[in-house]
């Protein structure tokens, strides 16, 4: 007879909320024609300790004034906000950035391919894995090669009768090249504009107004030199190489097709 | 502001080791109590901080983020962080988030104390 006690409700809900560990990412998303599926398959996740640059906690928060559930018109609770956010996640991203996931709703364990506008407008293909989902928040971790090593958590809560939505990133630049762009203010500005636009789009979806506030905290001012070798996985570099060699691949296909 | 269902106690089995017993939930609301417990634990030459997760009821992704920021503080003080009492499920979460590469996991307090030296 086993003496292991039955799992509690909290244990069960935790097991449903968390993704299962896997050594390497596996892309199952159907990628539309013209999209780039690079720098995700076979990569490992990196937590903030495994990146190179200074570590930052950036919190983007919006007070949603009079949010309403679009389908019913009733006042939206934090659970309604998260339900809508999970179901429509890619729709809230700024134009020109794409999130390709295998399912229509954010689910634990999903691997999504991201096609982003990188530094200088260059297309950048990278990804995320959904590591945690419950009724009030969900979180992503980034893979090797992403601009940032770390975790991003999307949440909603009620405070003093007001409903808030929040994006909180615990991140550091993945490698010295990204850190240089970050220090130049390029990547940080892109990140701030990206999540501000996302929260404004979320607010619009719920018919709410509000102002996004940003709180930035340096968690670790040091560089993690042991992670300098991460540059080998730099998704911007590999996406750039892929983009500039596209004509060569096209010619190669034509030539091989004639044979 | 979310409230926390968390109770933390600090013990010092030796001059160089402190144990933080975690009872309850580690979520984003645990930041203040967890950092206060660490302040209390890290006084007077403590070299190793051990987290006892035997009575952990729940941990969400914000809780994992808190452990990362705590680990940074520990590393900056040139201390080590160990853990024990993690259920199989939470050991998997440490594996998923690769925290197991930064926080040594032991099956029980005796093993953790022996490793702390």
């Amino acid at each position: 007879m086993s003496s292991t006690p039955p799992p509690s409700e909290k244990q069960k809900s935790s097991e449903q909320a968390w993704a299962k560990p896997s050594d390497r990412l596996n892309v199952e998303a159907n990628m539309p024609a013209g999209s780039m599926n690079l720098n995700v398959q076979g990569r490992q996740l990196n937590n903030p300790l495994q990146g190179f640059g200074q570590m930052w906690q950036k919190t983007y928060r919006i007070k949603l004034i009079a949010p309403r559930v679009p389908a019913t018109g009733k006042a939206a609770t934090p659970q309604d906000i998260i339900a809508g956010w999970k179901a429509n996640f890619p729709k809230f991203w700024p134009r020109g950035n794409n999130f390709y996931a295998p399912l229509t709703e954010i689910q634990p364990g999903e691997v999504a391919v991201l096609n982003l506008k990188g530094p200088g407008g260059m297309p950048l293909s990278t990804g995320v894995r959904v590591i945690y989902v419950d009724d009030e928040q969900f979180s992503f971790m980034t893979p090797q090669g992403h601009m940032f090593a770390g975790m991003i958590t999307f949440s909603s809560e009620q405070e003093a009768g007001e409903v808030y939505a929040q994006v909180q990133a615990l991140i550091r630049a993945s490698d010295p090249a990204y850190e240089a762009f970050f220090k130049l203010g390029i990547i940080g500005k892109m990140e701030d504009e990206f999540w501000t636009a996302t929260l404004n789009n979320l607010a619009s979806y719920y018919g709410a107004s509000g102002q996004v506030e940003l709180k930035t905290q340096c968690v670790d001012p040091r560089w993690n030199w042991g992670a300098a070798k991460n540059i080998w996985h730099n998704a911007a570099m590999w996406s750039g190489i892929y983009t500039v060699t596209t004509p060569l691949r096209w010619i190669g296909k034509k030539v091989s097709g004639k044979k | 502001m979310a409230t926390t269902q968390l109770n933390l106690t600090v013990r010092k089995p030796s001059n160089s080791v402190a144990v933080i017993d975690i009872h309850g939930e580690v979520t984003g609301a645990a930041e203040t109590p967890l950092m206060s417990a660490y302040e209390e634990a890290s006084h007077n030459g403590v070299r190793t901080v051990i987290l006892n997760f035997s009575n952990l009821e729940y941990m969400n992704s914000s809780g994992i983020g808190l452990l990362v920021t705590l680990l940074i503080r520990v590393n900056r003080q040139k201390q080590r962080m160990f853990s024990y009492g993690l259920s199989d499920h939470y050991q998997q979460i440490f594996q998923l988030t690769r925290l197991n590469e930064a926080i040594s996991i032991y099956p029980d307090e005796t093993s953790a104390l022996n490793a702390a030296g």
Side-chain angles (χ1 to χ4, degrees), chain A residues 10 13-15 17-21 23 44-50 55 57 129 131-132 134 137 139 141 151 153 157-159 170 172 219-222, chain B residues 1-2 5 25 28 31 57-66 68-69 71-73 75-76 78 87 89-90 92-93 95-102:
Chain A
K10 280 184 179 169
S13 65
S14 180
E15 284 170 16
W18 282 97
K20 297 281 180 279
D23 290 338
Q44 284 187 294
L45 293 178
N46 272 346
N47 72 33
L49 300 165
Q50 285 139 352
M55 192 186 296
Q57 182 165 279
R129 186 167 191 228
I131 60 163
Y132 181 90
D134 69 20
Q137 67 179 64
S139 297
M141 260 181 85
M151 294 168 52
T153 297
E157 66 173 351
Q158 195 147 21
E159 191 181 315
L170 182 61
R172 69 201 315 172
V219 178
D220 187 0
R222 298 168 305 177
Chain B
M1 185 69 79
Q5 297 177 335
E25 301 183 0
E31 180 173 7
E57 289 178 9
Y58 195 89
M59 181 157 51
N60 66 9
S61 51
S62 298
I64 289 289
L66 277 185
V68 171
T69 55
L71 187 59
I72 291 293
R73 293 182 68 175
N75 288 343
R76 288 177 72 177
K78 303 199 185 311
S87 66
H89 171 58
Y90 284 108
Q92 283 193 347
I93 289 162
Q95 191 185 338
L96 166 73
T97 55
R98 299 182 66 188
L99 267 187
N100 61 333
E101 297 174 25

Side-chain angles (χ1 to χ4, degrees), chain A residues 119-141:
Chain A
M122 283 284 283
L124 190 158
S125 174
T126 181
V128 290
R129 186 167 191 228
V130 182
I131 60 163
Y132 181 90
V133 181
D134 69 20
D135 292 341
E136 294 173 350
Q137 67 179 64
F138 56 97
S139 297
F140 298 162
M141 260 181 85

Side-chain angles (χ1 to χ4, degrees), chain A residues 103-127:
Chain A
L103 302 171
T104 52
E105 184 169 309
I106 299 293
Q107 299 278 359
E110 264 190 351
V111 174
V113 177
L114 318 181
N115 282 188
L116 307 172
K117 280 197 249 179
M122 283 284 283
L124 190 158
S125 174
T126 181

Side-chain angles (χ1 to χ4, degrees), chain A:
Chain A
M1 288 276 287
S2 168
S3 61
T4 306
S8 68
E9 286 306 311
K10 280 184 179 169
Q11 281 174 305
K12 281 190 217 166
S13 65
S14 180
E15 284 170 16
Q16 287 167 356
W18 282 97
K20 297 281 180 279
S22 64
D23 290 338
R24 304 274 168 183
L25 298 186
N26 183 34
V27 176
E28 292 176 358
N30 291 318
M31 302 294 295
S35 60
M36 262 198 292
N37 181 1
L38 296 176
N39 307 312
V40 186
Q41 180 69 33
R43 296 286 175 97
Q44 284 187 294
L45 293 178
N46 272 346
N47 72 33
L49 300 165
Q50 285 139 352
F52 171 82
Q54 295 178 319
M55 192 186 296
W56 298 89
Q57 182 165 279
K58 300 181 86 171
T59 306
Y60 309 83
R61 186 172 165 90
I62 187 169
K63 180 162 80 175
L64 300 171
I65 299 167
R68 298 268 161 200
V69 177
T72 63
K74 78 173 178 80
T77 63
Q79 289 77 17
D80 293 325
I81 302 294
I82 290 299
W85 208 344
K86 287 190 289 191
N88 299 286
F89 188 81
K91 293 180 189 167
F92 300 139
W93 274 23
R95 193 180 297 274
N97 298 280
N98 294 295
F99 180 96
Y100 302 116
L103 302 171
T104 52
E105 184 169 309
I106 299 293
Q107 299 278 359
E110 264 190 351
V111 174
V113 177
L114 318 181
N115 282 188
L116 307 172
K117 280 197 249 179
M122 283 284 283
L124 190 158
S125 174
T126 181
V128 290
R129 186 167 191 228
V130 182
I131 60 163
Y132 181 90
V133 181
D134 69 20
D135 292 341
E136 294 173 350
Q137 67 179 64
F138 56 97
S139 297
F140 298 162
M141 260 181 85
T142 56
Q144 295 165 319
H146 193 285
M147 285 182 280
F148 297 111
M151 294 168 52
I152 303 174
T153 297
F154 307 85
S155 61
S156 181
E157 66 173 351
Q158 195 147 21
E159 191 181 315
E162 305 284 356
V163 176
Y164 291 83
Q166 178 175 294
V167 179
Q168 186 170 68
L170 182 61
I171 49 174
R172 69 201 315 172
S174 290
D175 64 43
Y178 284 136
E179 178 69 356
F181 278 108
F182 194 79
K183 283 288 176 195
L184 290 169
I186 297 168
I187 292 181
K189 185 167 177 279
M190 286 169 54
E191 183 85 351
D192 293 348
E193 289 172 352
F194 190 98
W195 294 121
T196 299
T198 298
L199 285 173
N200 282 326
N201 291 340
L202 178 75
S204 296
Y205 178 79
Y206 285 99
S209 57
Q211 182 85 30
V212 177
E213 293 179 0
L214 169 61
K215 189 173 145 194
T216 303
Q217 180 191 357
C218 184
V219 178
D220 187 0
R222 298 168 305 177
W223 286 339
N224 178 17
W225 284 103
K229 61 183 182 298
N230 288 351
I231 200 164
W232 173 248
H233 293 291
N234 186 298
M237 175 181 74
W238 290 113
S239 300
I241 290 169
Y242 179 87
T243 302
V244 299
T245 57
T246 296
L248 298 176
R249 282 195 308 281
W250 183 81
I251 291 166
K253 277 183 190 169
K254 288 287 179 194
V255 170
S256 61
K258 282 179 183 174
K259 281 180 183 174

